[in-house]
Amino acid sequence: MNKKKSLSILIPMLFATSSAVQAAEIFNKNGNKLELYGIINPNHEFSNSFLSTKITPKEDNTNAILGLSGKINITNKLSSYAKIEYKTDFFMPEELMNQQQNNTIRLGYAGLKYGNLGSIDYGRNYGVIHDVESLINRAPYIKNDSVFAYNDNYMVGRNSSLLTYRNDNVFGLIDGMSFALQYQDETKNRHPSQKNHSGWGASLKYESDSGLTAIGSCFTSKRTHSATGKILTNESVNSYGLGFKYDANNIYFAAFYGAARNLTPHNIHTSSYINETQNIEAIAEYTFKSGFRPSLSYLDSKGYNMHGSKKSELGLAKQINISTRYEFNKNISTYMNYKINLLKENDFIKTNKISTDNIIGAGLVYQF
C-alpha cells in the first residue's frame, strides 16, 4: 500500500482525540465567527521485514495542514457556515520535475443551518461511510490499509460533489439520535479508478449518556465504463458499515464491520476492482492522568473476486498496531506506532505492490 498518503487521515483523528485542542479565533462578534486551526507533523517512517532485526529508514512524511472555518448568523435560527482545509508536504523538492502533487485541498464546502431542521451543505466533504469508520481512526501515524480509508472513492473518506443533510436530534424530538442523508453527483475528468456515477447514502447514529455510541452507514451508486462514460447497469457499487464505541472512564474501545461490493481500491491497477470486500477492525485505548495514551488495534481486510462459479480470496490488509502517545500539553504531543504486518506474500500482493513489512512510525505533533 502507498504510505505517502497514510498521514492524510491523522489530522482529524488528532483533533477528535484531543478535547482540549481549540482553534485559534480570528474573529468573533455577535456569534459570527472565523477560526483558524492547523497542525505541523515532523515524522519519519522505518520498516523491518518479518523475523529480521534490521531496521531500515524508509520515508520522511513531514507535513502540515491548515483549516479555516466560519459561521455567520443570518437570523435568530438561520446561519451559514463554511470550511476549507489545505495540506502540504514538506518532504517534496521546491521545484518538481514531474507531475507529483504535494499540495492538496482536503475539504471545501459551505452550507446553511436552520434550528432543529438541520443543516445542508455542498462541496468536498466526508462521505457517510466515514461517520462509522471514524470510530476506529485513533491509532496515530499509520492508518489501516482498507478500502474504507481511501479518499475519492465514492462516499468513502473525502470526496467531491457531495450534498449532505444532517440533523443532530431528529428535529428536536429524540436526544442523542442523529442522522445524515447524502447525495453524490457524477464526477468526471479523473483517473478511471476515481470516477463515480451519482448515488445516495445515509447514516444513523445514537449516543447515550453512558459513553456508548452506535452508528450505521450505507451508500449505493453505479459504476461507469472508463472509456465510454456509460453506466454499467449490472455493476452497482454499494457499501455499508456498522460500528460502536465506549468512551468513558479514560477507556476507549471501538469496533467496526464494513462490507462493500465493486468498490475500487486505489492501488489496484487501472479500472479493475474487487467484487466484494469485508473489514473487521477494533481498537482499545487507555488514557492515564499523566497524558500517556497507549493503544492496541487490529485490522483484517479481505477481498473476494468471482471467476465464473469460483470465488477467490484476496488478502488486502491484516495488521496489529501497537501505539503510544504522550501529550505534553494541549498543543504538543509525541507518538510512536509499530505496525505488525500479518499479510503473507502471494501473486496478488506482488502484482499490486502491497507491502508485507512491519512499519515503525514516530513523530512530534504541534497543533492549534
Side-chain angles (χ1 to χ4, degrees), residues 303-321:
Y304 300 91
N305 270 347
M306 299 298 297
H307 303 281
S309 60
K310 295 183 179 180
K311 191 175 185 179
S312 60
E313 181 177 310
L314 310 171
L316 303 178
K318 192 172 185 180
Q319 62 195 47
I320 295 173
N321 280 310

Side-chain angles (χ1 to χ4, degrees), residues 20 27 32 48 68 72 110 132 145 177 181 217 224 226 240 260 316:
F27 176 82
N32 301 316
N48 75 301
L68 194 65
I72 297 176
V132 60
D145 300 316
M177 181 167 286
L181 301 174
S217 302
T224 57
S226 59
Y240 70 89
L316 303 178

Side-chain angles (χ1 to χ4, degrees), residues 114-144:
Y114 186 87
N116 288 331
L117 294 182
S119 64
I120 186 167
D121 53 65
Y122 181 79
R124 181 168 179 82
N125 204 340
Y126 283 101
V128 289
I129 295 296
H130 180 264
D131 289 3
V132 60
E133 168 71 10
S134 63
L135 294 177
I136 49 85
N137 291 346
R138 306 260 308 182
Y141 185 69
I142 300 174
K143 181 65 181 69
N144 65 65

Side-chain angles (χ1 to χ4, degrees), residues 205-278:
K205 174 182 178 181
Y206 180 75
E207 188 171 8
S208 71
D209 294 333
S210 62
L212 287 172
T213 299
I215 306 178
S217 302
C218 65
F219 80 84
T220 183
S221 187
K222 293 286 185 181
R223 182 169 300 284
T224 57
H225 192 282
S226 59
T228 65
K230 295 181 179 179
I231 302 175
L232 302 178
T233 55
N234 295 325
E235 295 188 11
S236 62
V237 180
N238 49 65
S239 175
Y240 70 89
L242 302 171
F244 76 93
K245 74 171 182 178
Y246 174 78
D247 186 8
N249 303 314
N250 297 327
I251 298 172
Y252 187 96
F253 177 79
F256 166 79
Y257 174 80
R261 183 171 181 265
N262 296 332
L263 190 66
T264 307
H266 291 182
N267 66 302
I268 306 302
H269 53 80
T270 309
S271 69
S272 62
Y273 56 90
I274 296 174
N275 296 134
E276 298 178 19
T277 306
Q278 293 181 2

Side-chain angles (χ1 to χ4, degrees), residues 305-340:
N305 270 347
M306 299 298 297
H307 303 281
S309 60
K310 295 183 179 180
K311 191 175 185 179
S312 60
E313 181 177 310
L314 310 171
L316 303 178
K318 192 172 185 180
Q319 62 195 47
I320 295 173
N321 280 310
I322 303 173
S323 307
T324 59
R325 183 169 173 230
Y326 180 76
E327 295 182 353
F328 294 98
N329 54 41
K330 67 178 183 179
N331 299 111
I332 300 176
S333 62
T334 186
Y335 62 85
M336 179 172 287
N337 194 122
Y338 183 53
K339 181 181 84 172
I340 303 173

Side-chain angles (χ1 to χ4, degrees), residues 9 43 133 137-138 266 285 341 345:
I9 311 296
N43 68 87
E133 168 71 10
N137 291 346
R138 306 260 308 182
H266 291 182
E285 183 177 271
N341 201 328
E345 196 168 87

Side-chain angles (χ1 to χ4, degrees), residues 2 4-5 89 91-93 95-103:
N2 184 1
K4 289 186 181 296
K5 299 298 181 183
D89 296 321
F91 56 85
M92 301 297 294
E95 296 184 12
L96 295 176
M97 303 302 292
N98 54 35
Q99 300 299 315
Q100 191 168 9
Q101 183 178 358
N102 67 324
N103 299 317

